[in-house]
Amino acid sequence: MILDRELTLEQFIQVVRHGEKVELSDAARQRIQTARAVIENIVEGDTAIYGVNTGFGKFENVQIDPSQLAQLQYNLIVSHAIGVGDPLPAEVVRGMLLLRAQSLSLGHSGVRVEVVELLLSLLNAGAHPVIPAQGSVGASGDLAPLAHLALGLIGLGEIEYQGQVRPAADVLGELGLRPVTLQAKEGLALINGTQLMGSLLALALHDAKTLLGTANLAAAMTVEARYGSHRPFQSDVVGLRPHPGAVEVARELREFLAGSEIAPSHLTGDGKVQDAYSLRAVPQVHGATWDAIAQAGRVLAVEFASVTDNPLIFPDSAHPNGGEVVSGGNFHGQPLAVTIDALKVAVAELGSISERRTEQLLNPALSGLPAFLTPQGGLNSGFMIAQYTSAALVSENKVLAHPASVDSIPTSANQEDHVSMGAHAARQLRAIVQNVQNVLAIELMCAAQGLDFQKLRAGKGVQAAYEYIRSFVPHLEQDRYFRPEVLRLREEIASGELLRVAQAVPSGTATPAKLADRGENDRDTTSRH
């Protein structure tokens, strides 16, 4: 991939998860060099410019002698690299390397080309600086985590390479790379940014899109196993309140359910007036999550194309230094933090309603199916405790979904007097996504068992997913150790493979499901609305 002005989420994933190599475009090199020339002119003069020849934060008014500027940048990195906690996953670090290089390549930060090239060299080699997860307050960017990233560039700290954690200097030497000696402004440019938040959000957003599609599939499977009505998903119903997410979710549900033999079998005489909310309100509940995901995508697209450094370099401005240097607030994480908090709630709700659908399957008073979906209740517990686990994860998500962005603790002697806590929110979002993957795995396992008691074929997408699940999760005749099966289902959800299987089945044009829809449309309008 050629790194220039634009970076999409799809490109990000190809690099971060699939190892696509990255190199700077010629235009990016020129932008970087032009901005660097402004810094060089400042260094040769005696004007105090924050971050170039002054101290940082509360020390902004302390001017530094030109002979000490390299030491200033070194001191900045080593003093700020004071994060704690478990190391961030490799994919998160890869995202940080890519996004930091992307932002610097836009030509408003004043670093040298070799600094950006070293970031990309580590990324392309699969050499990942060890970055503790905790320590960012998300105001002047993710200072502590990015300082740990910068440590690797100057040959300090540790780097994970080929499955081993080793001193950074040793790994750089093995790769034939030389540590960089940071010059004026470069250390500050490396750590003033939102790249931890951005990397976590990008990965979670990609996974949330897959999660939403899988949640729609799980809902469709449960609707079939529970003899639920398809009528609430029809376009005329949802069209009376046409939020974009609701419309899209309803469309996907109809595709998964197309061709159902189950729907026509209970058009009359099943004694139901209407289904539970967790079944008939799926377009509205899942649709709200769809809308939140779409908004997060818009925010992330802006962030990918942004310069989050401070101060900013404007090489084209008329100024004695050959360009203007401006202190601003582009490093502040609030746009991401608020977006991430909203996405936390939206994704958590997919788990909340999924757990309720699992209860609809397991509770014989609601389902009409064997209690806990076991043929020999009493001797066997069936999926009883699977619902406990689901409930535990949903409850945990309620704590994690509490907005982090409403908190602020002033730092740097009240110079940085409002912070975003966006990194907290982003780490919580990652945990919520993983929890919901497990919650959906439990629903899918139960829905497949529920479909085992059906004698008719489900909708085409549902049937394909059911048969795929049955290829590695056998029918439950008697109690067994099925945690490995839940974990395997979670892997199929996370990879998107289960969703691809269900979506690969063409819906057709004249199916029993559409006939069933017409039949339900002709029924007494008091039924199940």
Side-chain angles (χ1 to χ4, degrees):
M1 185 188 83
I2 304 298
L3 194 63
D4 202 348
R5 290 189 179 277
E6 293 186 0
L7 176 67
T8 67
L9 180 57
E10 292 72 23
Q11 289 172 324
F12 175 92
I13 293 297
Q14 281 299 118
V15 171
V16 170
R17 285 187 170 164
H18 304 297
E20 184 174 338
K21 299 295 190 289
V22 186
E23 61 182 84
L24 281 174
S25 70
D26 291 339
R29 291 173 185 276
Q30 184 58 54
R31 289 194 299 270
I32 295 169
Q33 291 168 347
T34 301
R36 182 62 194 175
V38 177
I39 299 300
E40 299 292 353
N41 288 335
I42 292 171
V43 170
E44 292 175 3
D46 56 8
T47 303
I49 301 293
Y50 175 77
V52 179
N53 53 16
T54 72
F56 309 105
K58 196 64 176 177
F59 295 126
E60 62 180 334
N61 295 318
V62 179
Q63 191 161 353
I64 308 300
D65 185 271
S67 65
Q68 296 179 305
L69 293 184
Q71 186 66 44
L72 174 69
Q73 299 302 309
Y74 174 90
N75 290 349
L76 177 69
I77 299 304
V78 296
S79 67
H80 283 52
I82 193 168
V84 296
D86 295 333
L88 291 167
E91 65 175 10
V92 177
V93 177
R94 290 181 61 76
M96 293 172 69
L97 288 165
L98 175 60
L99 294 180
R100 189 67 266 182
Q102 164 70 5
S103 183
L104 296 176
S105 75
L106 296 176
H108 294 277
S109 297
V111 302
R112 292 167 295 160
V113 171
E114 49 261 48
V115 173
V116 184
E117 286 183 328
L118 185 52
L119 285 167
L120 295 180
S121 293
L122 291 177
L123 176 65
N124 290 335
H128 312 125
V130 175
I131 303 176
Q134 295 171 285
S136 172
V137 295
S140 296
D142 296 309
L143 289 175
L146 286 170
H148 282 277
L149 182 148
L151 275 182
L153 303 185
I154 63 176
L156 298 179
E158 297 173 313
I159 288 178
E160 181 273 319
Y161 177 61
Q162 294 184 341
Q164 293 184 323
V165 174
R166 297 161 51 198
D170 293 351
V171 175
L172 291 175
E174 183 175 329
L175 293 172
L177 301 172
R178 298 182 62 181
V180 66
T181 299
L182 298 175
Q183 302 299 322
K185 177 65 168 62
E186 291 181 331
L188 187 60
L190 284 168
I191 69 173
N192 250 329
T194 57
Q195 281 66 51
L196 171 56
M197 289 176 260
S199 179
L200 283 165
L201 174 56
L203 290 163
L205 179 61
H206 176 268
D207 291 344
K209 290 181 177 182
T210 301
L211 200 62
L212 175 58
T214 308
N216 294 340
L217 173 62
M221 288 186 70
T222 298
V223 164
E224 292 286 74
R226 278 279 289 105
Y227 285 92
S229 175
H230 297 187
R231 185 69 180 100
F233 314 142
Q234 297 309 307
S235 58
D236 60 339
V237 176
V238 180
L240 293 180
R241 193 191 186 198
H243 288 288
V247 171
E248 178 60 24
V249 168
R251 180 198 63 77
E252 189 160 17
L253 287 169
R254 293 196 300 272
E255 289 189 357
F256 289 142
L257 293 167
S260 172
E261 296 176 358
I262 297 171
S265 73
H266 61 91
L267 291 178
T268 59
D270 62 8
K272 293 182 182 179
V273 176
Q274 56 187 10
D275 293 324
Y277 289 2
S278 59
L279 301 181
R280 62 182 158 115
V282 170
Q284 291 73 28
V285 177
H286 288 198
T289 300
W290 190 98
D291 291 329
I293 287 173
Q295 172 60 14
R298 289 188 286 269
V299 170
L300 191 66
V302 172
E303 194 71 7
F304 276 4
S306 296
V307 180
T308 55
D309 190 7
N310 183 63
L312 300 171
I313 315 301
F314 292 89
D316 296 331
S317 296
H319 195 276
N321 291 321
E324 188 179 10
V325 181
V326 180
S327 289
N330 281 10
F331 48 69
H332 203 291
Q334 198 73 4
L336 291 180
V338 171
T339 299
I340 292 167
D341 277 337
L343 192 57
K344 281 161 46 181
V345 172
V347 174
E349 281 299 281
L350 293 179
S352 180
I353 195 172
S354 171
E355 184 275 332
R356 288 294 80 201
R357 289 194 299 264
T358 296
E359 172 69 6
Q360 288 285 325
L361 289 163
L362 299 181
N363 189 332
L366 301 174
S367 68
L369 296 168
F372 304 108
L373 299 174
T374 179
Q376 301 179 60
L379 175 63
N380 296 298
S381 295
F383 293 100
M384 181 190 297
I385 306 304
Q387 185 265 332
Y388 285 39
T389 299
S390 185
L393 294 171
V394 168
S395 183
E396 181 179 314
N397 281 349
K398 293 174 184 177
V399 177
L400 293 170
H402 179 83
S405 59
V406 299
D407 183 33
S408 179
I409 297 179
T411 55
S412 193
N414 231 34
Q415 171 73 9
E416 299 162 4
D417 56 354
H418 181 275
V419 302
S420 75
M421 300 300 181
H424 296 65
R427 289 190 289 112
Q428 290 166 336
L429 173 59
R430 185 176 178 89
I432 288 172
V433 168
Q434 293 169 348
N435 284 345
V436 175
Q437 288 170 341
N438 283 316
V439 171
L440 286 174
I442 288 169
E443 181 188 358
L444 287 161
M445 186 171 62
C446 293
Q449 183 78 0
L451 286 173
D452 286 343
F453 296 103
Q454 298 280 7
K455 298 187 182 301
L456 300 171
R457 291 180 66 83
K460 292 181 179 179
V462 170
Q463 187 69 27
Y466 162 74
E467 292 173 1
Y468 183 68
I469 291 170
R470 279 288 170 258
S471 70
F472 55 87
V473 179
H475 172 72
L476 185 69
E477 287 288 349
Q478 59 184 16
D479 287 350
R480 64 173 184 262
Y481 178 54
F482 48 72
R483 178 179 180 271
E485 296 164 5
V486 174
L487 298 180
R488 169 67 187 276
L489 257 175
R490 180 184 177 275
E491 291 176 3
E492 298 290 337
I493 292 170
S495 69
E497 185 59 28
L498 178 63
L499 184 59
R500 283 190 286 272
V501 167
Q503 291 175 334
V505 182
S507 60
T509 55
T511 65
K514 295 188 177 180
L515 294 175
D517 294 338
R518 287 198 293 272
E520 288 199 358
N521 202 27
D522 293 339
R523 293 167 59 190
D524 181 349
T525 57
T526 62
S527 262
R528 300 198 205 171
H529 46 23

